[in-house]
Amino acid sequence: QVQLAESGGGSVQAGGSLRLSCAVSGFPVSNYYMGWFRKALGSERREGVAAMTTSGATVYGESVKGRATISKDHSANVLYLTIAPLKFEDAGVYYCVADYNGRWDGWYAPGATWNRWGQGTEVTVSS
């Protein structure tokens, strides 16, 4: 059974660092494009944060470019996201996603077709 299980959320201070994990079961992380989306608290709008192709190429959303790193541990079958330094606007629910369909230059769009989603992990940013 395919499952994406995020962890690592919680309350983090502004200016600090955040590391999220996505434990994948049901397929190897090397098999699909994978990424992270987020929704601001109280919003239904999805924002693409970062994504990685099967060849390891990475892309980032404008709001986190230069502060975020997406990576995979193939042996552990885990996807990671690190953001530092954190800003207040980084608060939200972060979702691990996999199996993208569409033009790669549209990966971040709110309507982008990612076929697998985790349940999400909430991140709050405190002063």
Side-chain angles (χ1 to χ4, degrees):
Q1 183 175 352
V2 172
Q3 187 173 14
L4 307 178
E6 303 95 337
S7 62
S11 180
V12 187
Q13 269 196 316
S17 64
L18 172 72
R19 191 192 199 205
L20 302 178
S21 302
C22 173
V24 178
S25 55
F27 65 89
V29 293
S30 56
N31 275 18
Y32 293 109
Y33 286 14
M34 296 195 68
W36 292 91
F37 270 69
R38 70 186 180 192
K39 291 183 185 179
L41 296 178
S43 171
E44 286 303 310
R45 186 179 183 280
R46 308 186 305 187
E47 176 191 4
V49 178
M52 178 183 281
T53 69
T54 51
S55 63
T58 57
V59 288
Y60 297 94
E62 286 299 318
S63 63
V64 299
K65 202 169 285 186
R67 300 187 297 121
T69 302
I70 184 172
S71 61
K72 289 179 184 177
D73 183 331
H74 293 269
S75 60
N77 220 40
V78 176
L79 180 75
Y80 297 104
L81 176 71
T82 300
I83 302 177
L86 272 177
K87 300 180 179 181
F88 291 110
E89 52 264 41
D90 292 321
V93 181
Y94 284 73
Y95 299 90
C96 176
V97 296
D99 189 10
Y100 177 69
N101 286 336
R103 288 173 53 100
W104 185 231
D105 59 1
W107 71 272
Y108 59 90
T113 304
W114 291 86
N115 293 312
R116 305 289 186 182
W117 288 73
Q119 292 299 306
T121 185
E122 185 172 315
V123 174
T124 57
V125 182
S126 60
S127 58

